[in-house]
Short mmCIF file of all heavy atoms in Angstrom, two decimals:
data_model
loop_
_atom_site.label_atom_id
_atom_site.label_comp_id
_atom_site.label_asym_id
_atom_site.label_seq_id
_atom_site.Cartn_x
_atom_site.Cartn_y
_atom_site.Cartn_z
N TRP F 27 -60.47 83.91 24.71
CA TRP F 27 -60.03 83.50 23.37
C TRP F 27 -58.62 84.07 23.14
O TRP F 27 -58.37 85.24 23.43
CB TRP F 27 -61.01 84.05 22.33
CG TRP F 27 -60.72 83.48 20.99
CD1 TRP F 27 -59.97 84.05 20.02
CD2 TRP F 27 -61.14 82.20 20.49
NE1 TRP F 27 -59.88 83.20 18.94
CE2 TRP F 27 -60.59 82.06 19.19
CE3 TRP F 27 -61.92 81.16 21.00
CZ2 TRP F 27 -60.79 80.94 18.41
CZ3 TRP F 27 -62.12 80.04 20.21
CH2 TRP F 27 -61.57 79.93 18.93
N PRO F 28 -57.65 83.26 22.67
CA PRO F 28 -56.27 83.76 22.54
C PRO F 28 -56.14 84.86 21.47
O PRO F 28 -56.85 84.84 20.46
CB PRO F 28 -55.48 82.52 22.12
CG PRO F 28 -56.48 81.53 21.65
CD PRO F 28 -57.80 81.84 22.25
N LYS F 29 -55.22 85.79 21.73
CA LYS F 29 -54.93 86.86 20.75
C LYS F 29 -53.49 86.65 20.27
O LYS F 29 -52.60 86.41 21.08
CB LYS F 29 -55.01 88.23 21.44
CG LYS F 29 -56.42 88.67 21.78
CD LYS F 29 -56.40 90.17 22.06
CE LYS F 29 -57.71 90.73 22.57
NZ LYS F 29 -58.90 89.97 22.32
N PRO F 30 -53.25 86.75 18.97
CA PRO F 30 -51.89 86.49 18.48
C PRO F 30 -50.97 87.70 18.69
O PRO F 30 -51.38 88.84 18.46
CB PRO F 30 -52.10 86.25 16.98
CG PRO F 30 -53.34 87.03 16.64
CD PRO F 30 -54.20 87.06 17.88
N ALA F 31 -49.72 87.45 19.13
CA ALA F 31 -48.68 88.49 19.07
C ALA F 31 -48.34 88.67 17.58
O ALA F 31 -48.83 87.92 16.73
CB ALA F 31 -47.46 88.04 19.86
N THR F 32 -47.48 89.64 17.29
CA THR F 32 -47.24 89.96 15.87
C THR F 32 -46.66 88.77 15.08
O THR F 32 -46.93 88.63 13.89
CB THR F 32 -46.28 91.16 15.74
OG1 THR F 32 -45.13 90.89 16.51
CG2 THR F 32 -46.94 92.45 16.21
N ASP F 33 -45.86 87.91 15.77
CA ASP F 33 -45.25 86.76 15.06
C ASP F 33 -46.02 85.46 15.29
O ASP F 33 -45.52 84.39 14.99
CB ASP F 33 -43.79 86.58 15.48
CG ASP F 33 -43.65 86.30 16.97
OD1 ASP F 33 -44.64 86.51 17.72
OD2 ASP F 33 -42.57 85.87 17.40
N GLU F 34 -47.24 85.58 15.83
CA GLU F 34 -48.02 84.37 16.16
C GLU F 34 -49.26 84.25 15.26
O GLU F 34 -49.67 85.21 14.61
CB GLU F 34 -48.50 84.43 17.61
CG GLU F 34 -47.37 84.27 18.63
CD GLU F 34 -47.90 84.30 20.06
OE1 GLU F 34 -49.01 84.85 20.30
OE2 GLU F 34 -47.20 83.79 20.94
N VAL F 35 -49.84 83.03 15.29
CA VAL F 35 -51.16 82.83 14.68
C VAL F 35 -52.04 82.17 15.75
O VAL F 35 -51.53 81.58 16.70
CB VAL F 35 -51.11 81.93 13.43
CG1 VAL F 35 -50.16 82.51 12.39
CG2 VAL F 35 -50.71 80.50 13.77
N VAL F 36 -53.36 82.27 15.55
CA VAL F 36 -54.26 81.53 16.43
C VAL F 36 -54.68 80.26 15.69
O VAL F 36 -55.10 80.30 14.53
CB VAL F 36 -55.49 82.36 16.82
CG1 VAL F 36 -56.48 81.51 17.63
CG2 VAL F 36 -55.06 83.58 17.63
N VAL F 37 -54.51 79.14 16.39
CA VAL F 37 -54.88 77.84 15.82
C VAL F 37 -56.07 77.31 16.61
O VAL F 37 -56.03 77.24 17.84
CB VAL F 37 -53.70 76.83 15.93
CG1 VAL F 37 -54.11 75.46 15.42
CG2 VAL F 37 -52.49 77.34 15.16
N GLN F 38 -57.12 76.96 15.86
CA GLN F 38 -58.27 76.31 16.49
C GLN F 38 -58.02 74.81 16.42
O GLN F 38 -57.83 74.26 15.32
CB GLN F 38 -59.54 76.68 15.73
CG GLN F 38 -60.80 76.25 16.44
CD GLN F 38 -62.05 76.85 15.80
OE1 GLN F 38 -62.00 77.37 14.67
NE2 GLN F 38 -63.15 76.81 16.51
N MET F 39 -57.98 74.15 17.56
CA MET F 39 -57.58 72.73 17.59
C MET F 39 -58.62 71.87 16.89
O MET F 39 -59.82 72.13 16.95
CB MET F 39 -57.44 72.25 19.04
CG MET F 39 -56.28 72.84 19.81
SD MET F 39 -54.67 72.49 19.07
CE MET F 39 -54.69 70.70 19.04
N ARG F 40 -58.13 70.83 16.20
CA ARG F 40 -59.02 69.84 15.58
C ARG F 40 -58.89 68.47 16.25
O ARG F 40 -59.88 67.77 16.43
CB ARG F 40 -58.70 69.70 14.07
CG ARG F 40 -59.04 70.93 13.26
CD ARG F 40 -60.54 71.25 13.28
NE ARG F 40 -61.35 70.12 12.89
CZ ARG F 40 -61.61 69.74 11.64
NH1 ARG F 40 -61.13 70.44 10.65
NH2 ARG F 40 -62.35 68.68 11.38
N ALA F 41 -57.67 68.07 16.62
CA ALA F 41 -57.51 66.75 17.25
C ALA F 41 -56.21 66.72 18.05
O ALA F 41 -55.23 67.39 17.68
CB ALA F 41 -57.47 65.65 16.18
N ALA F 42 -56.24 65.96 19.15
CA ALA F 42 -55.03 65.80 19.99
C ALA F 42 -55.15 64.46 20.71
O ALA F 42 -56.16 64.20 21.37
CB ALA F 42 -54.92 66.93 21.00
N PRO F 43 -54.13 63.59 20.57
CA PRO F 43 -54.22 62.27 21.22
C PRO F 43 -53.80 62.31 22.69
O PRO F 43 -53.19 63.28 23.14
CB PRO F 43 -53.20 61.45 20.42
CG PRO F 43 -52.16 62.44 20.02
CD PRO F 43 -52.88 63.75 19.79
N VAL F 44 -54.14 61.24 23.39
CA VAL F 44 -53.62 61.01 24.75
C VAL F 44 -52.51 59.97 24.60
O VAL F 44 -52.79 58.79 24.35
CB VAL F 44 -54.72 60.49 25.69
CG1 VAL F 44 -54.15 60.29 27.10
CG2 VAL F 44 -55.93 61.42 25.70
N ASN F 45 -51.27 60.40 24.73
CA ASN F 45 -50.13 59.49 24.59
C ASN F 45 -49.62 59.09 25.97
O ASN F 45 -49.86 59.80 26.95
CB ASN F 45 -49.00 60.20 23.83
CG ASN F 45 -49.27 60.28 22.34
OD1 ASN F 45 -49.80 59.34 21.74
ND2 ASN F 45 -48.93 61.40 21.73
N PRO F 46 -48.85 57.97 26.05
CA PRO F 46 -48.27 57.60 27.35
C PRO F 46 -47.48 58.76 27.99
O PRO F 46 -47.54 58.95 29.21
CB PRO F 46 -47.34 56.42 27.00
CG PRO F 46 -47.98 55.79 25.79
CD PRO F 46 -48.55 56.94 25.01
N ALA F 47 -46.77 59.55 27.18
CA ALA F 47 -45.98 60.66 27.75
C ALA F 47 -46.88 61.71 28.40
O ALA F 47 -46.49 62.36 29.38
CB ALA F 47 -45.12 61.30 26.67
N ASP F 48 -48.10 61.91 27.86
CA ASP F 48 -49.02 62.88 28.47
C ASP F 48 -49.42 62.41 29.87
O ASP F 48 -49.48 63.20 30.81
CB ASP F 48 -50.28 63.03 27.61
CG ASP F 48 -49.98 63.55 26.22
OD1 ASP F 48 -49.16 64.49 26.10
OD2 ASP F 48 -50.54 63.03 25.24
N ILE F 49 -49.70 61.11 29.97
CA ILE F 49 -50.09 60.54 31.27
C ILE F 49 -48.92 60.72 32.26
O ILE F 49 -49.10 61.19 33.39
CB ILE F 49 -50.44 59.04 31.12
CG1 ILE F 49 -51.62 58.84 30.15
CG2 ILE F 49 -50.70 58.37 32.47
CD1 ILE F 49 -52.94 59.40 30.62
N ASN F 50 -47.70 60.37 31.81
CA ASN F 50 -46.52 60.50 32.68
C ASN F 50 -46.31 61.95 33.10
O ASN F 50 -45.92 62.22 34.24
CB ASN F 50 -45.26 59.99 31.98
CG ASN F 50 -45.32 58.50 31.68
OD1 ASN F 50 -44.68 58.03 30.77
ND2 ASN F 50 -46.09 57.74 32.44
N ALA F 51 -46.53 62.88 32.18
CA ALA F 51 -46.31 64.30 32.50
C ALA F 51 -47.30 64.76 33.57
O ALA F 51 -46.93 65.47 34.52
CB ALA F 51 -46.45 65.15 31.25
N ILE F 52 -48.56 64.34 33.46
CA ILE F 52 -49.56 64.73 34.46
C ILE F 52 -49.21 64.10 35.82
O ILE F 52 -49.31 64.74 36.86
CB ILE F 52 -50.98 64.30 34.01
CG1 ILE F 52 -51.34 64.96 32.68
CG2 ILE F 52 -52.02 64.66 35.08
CD1 ILE F 52 -52.56 64.34 31.98
N GLU F 53 -48.73 62.85 35.76
CA GLU F 53 -48.35 62.17 37.01
C GLU F 53 -47.11 62.81 37.65
O GLU F 53 -46.81 62.55 38.81
CB GLU F 53 -48.04 60.70 36.73
CG GLU F 53 -49.28 59.89 36.35
CD GLU F 53 -48.91 58.49 35.83
OE1 GLU F 53 -47.81 58.30 35.26
OE2 GLU F 53 -49.75 57.58 35.98
N GLY F 54 -46.37 63.61 36.89
CA GLY F 54 -45.13 64.19 37.41
C GLY F 54 -43.95 63.26 37.22
O GLY F 54 -42.90 63.44 37.84
N LYS F 55 -44.11 62.25 36.33
CA LYS F 55 -43.04 61.26 36.13
C LYS F 55 -42.27 61.50 34.84
O LYS F 55 -41.48 60.66 34.43
CB LYS F 55 -43.64 59.84 36.10
CG LYS F 55 -44.27 59.42 37.41
CD LYS F 55 -44.88 58.04 37.29
CE LYS F 55 -45.61 57.64 38.55
NZ LYS F 55 -46.55 56.54 38.30
N TYR F 56 -42.57 62.59 34.16
CA TYR F 56 -41.90 62.86 32.89
C TYR F 56 -40.67 63.70 33.18
O TYR F 56 -40.73 64.59 34.02
CB TYR F 56 -42.87 63.60 31.95
CG TYR F 56 -42.48 63.51 30.50
CD1 TYR F 56 -42.56 62.31 29.83
CD2 TYR F 56 -42.04 64.64 29.81
CE1 TYR F 56 -42.20 62.21 28.49
CE2 TYR F 56 -41.70 64.55 28.48
CZ TYR F 56 -41.78 63.34 27.82
OH TYR F 56 -41.42 63.26 26.50
N PRO F 57 -39.54 63.45 32.47
CA PRO F 57 -38.31 64.15 32.83
C PRO F 57 -38.43 65.68 32.77
O PRO F 57 -37.96 66.36 33.67
CB PRO F 57 -37.28 63.64 31.81
CG PRO F 57 -38.00 62.73 30.89
CD PRO F 57 -39.33 62.42 31.45
N ALA F 58 -39.06 66.21 31.72
CA ALA F 58 -39.20 67.67 31.65
C ALA F 58 -40.46 68.04 32.43
O ALA F 58 -41.52 68.24 31.87
CB ALA F 58 -39.31 68.10 30.20
N ARG F 59 -40.32 68.11 33.76
CA ARG F 59 -41.48 68.33 34.62
C ARG F 59 -41.97 69.77 34.45
O ARG F 59 -41.21 70.72 34.63
CB ARG F 59 -41.05 68.09 36.07
CG ARG F 59 -42.17 67.73 37.01
CD ARG F 59 -41.54 67.40 38.36
NE ARG F 59 -42.45 67.75 39.44
CZ ARG F 59 -43.08 66.86 40.18
NH1 ARG F 59 -42.89 65.59 39.99
NH2 ARG F 59 -43.88 67.24 41.14
N ARG F 60 -43.25 69.90 34.06
CA ARG F 60 -43.77 71.24 33.79
C ARG F 60 -44.17 71.93 35.09
O ARG F 60 -44.64 71.30 36.02
CB ARG F 60 -45.02 71.15 32.93
CG ARG F 60 -44.71 71.00 31.47
CD ARG F 60 -45.98 71.11 30.66
NE ARG F 60 -45.68 70.86 29.27
CZ ARG F 60 -46.56 70.41 28.38
NH1 ARG F 60 -47.80 70.15 28.75
NH2 ARG F 60 -46.22 70.22 27.14
N GLU F 61 -43.97 73.26 35.12
CA GLU F 61 -44.51 74.07 36.21
C GLU F 61 -46.02 73.93 36.20
O GLU F 61 -46.62 73.93 35.12
CB GLU F 61 -44.19 75.55 35.95
CG GLU F 61 -42.73 75.91 36.03
CD GLU F 61 -42.25 76.01 37.46
OE1 GLU F 61 -42.89 76.74 38.25
OE2 GLU F 61 -41.24 75.34 37.79
N VAL F 62 -46.65 73.81 37.36
CA VAL F 62 -48.10 73.81 37.39
C VAL F 62 -48.59 75.21 37.77
O VAL F 62 -47.85 75.93 38.46
CB VAL F 62 -48.64 72.74 38.39
CG1 VAL F 62 -48.43 71.36 37.81
CG2 VAL F 62 -48.00 72.86 39.75
N PRO F 63 -49.79 75.62 37.41
CA PRO F 63 -50.74 74.89 36.57
C PRO F 63 -50.23 74.72 35.14
O PRO F 63 -49.53 75.58 34.63
CB PRO F 63 -51.99 75.78 36.61
CG PRO F 63 -51.50 77.14 36.95
CD PRO F 63 -50.27 76.97 37.78
N ALA F 64 -50.64 73.60 34.54
CA ALA F 64 -50.19 73.31 33.18
C ALA F 64 -51.33 72.67 32.40
O ALA F 64 -52.27 72.11 32.98
CB ALA F 64 -49.00 72.36 33.22
N THR F 65 -51.21 72.74 31.08
CA THR F 65 -52.16 72.08 30.18
C THR F 65 -51.44 70.93 29.50
O THR F 65 -50.36 71.13 28.93
CB THR F 65 -52.70 73.09 29.15
OG1 THR F 65 -53.51 74.03 29.85
CG2 THR F 65 -53.54 72.41 28.07
N PRO F 66 -51.99 69.70 29.58
CA PRO F 66 -51.31 68.57 28.95
C PRO F 66 -51.45 68.59 27.43
O PRO F 66 -52.20 69.40 26.87
CB PRO F 66 -52.04 67.34 29.51
CG PRO F 66 -53.11 67.83 30.41
CD PRO F 66 -53.25 69.31 30.23
N GLY F 67 -50.77 67.65 26.79
CA GLY F 67 -50.91 67.48 25.34
C GLY F 67 -49.62 67.82 24.63
O GLY F 67 -49.30 68.99 24.45
N PHE F 68 -48.86 66.77 24.19
CA PHE F 68 -47.59 66.99 23.50
C PHE F 68 -47.77 67.08 21.99
O PHE F 68 -46.83 67.40 21.29
CB PHE F 68 -46.61 65.87 23.81
CG PHE F 68 -45.97 65.99 25.17
CD1 PHE F 68 -46.16 65.01 26.14
CD2 PHE F 68 -45.17 67.08 25.49
CE1 PHE F 68 -45.55 65.11 27.38
CE2 PHE F 68 -44.57 67.19 26.74
CZ PHE F 68 -44.76 66.20 27.68
#
Side-chain angles (χ1 to χ4, degrees):
W27 189 264
K29 288 197 187 339
T32 52
D33 61 346
E34 290 181 337
V35 302
V36 175
V37 176
Q38 189 169 15
M39 292 300 302
R40 292 297 307 278
V44 181
N45 284 321
D48 298 317
I49 300 294
N50 296 154
I52 300 166
E53 291 170 332
K55 295 178 185 161
Y56 200 68
R59 204 175 149 109
R60 278 187 184 155
E61 292 283 308
V62 287
T65 292
F68 283 118

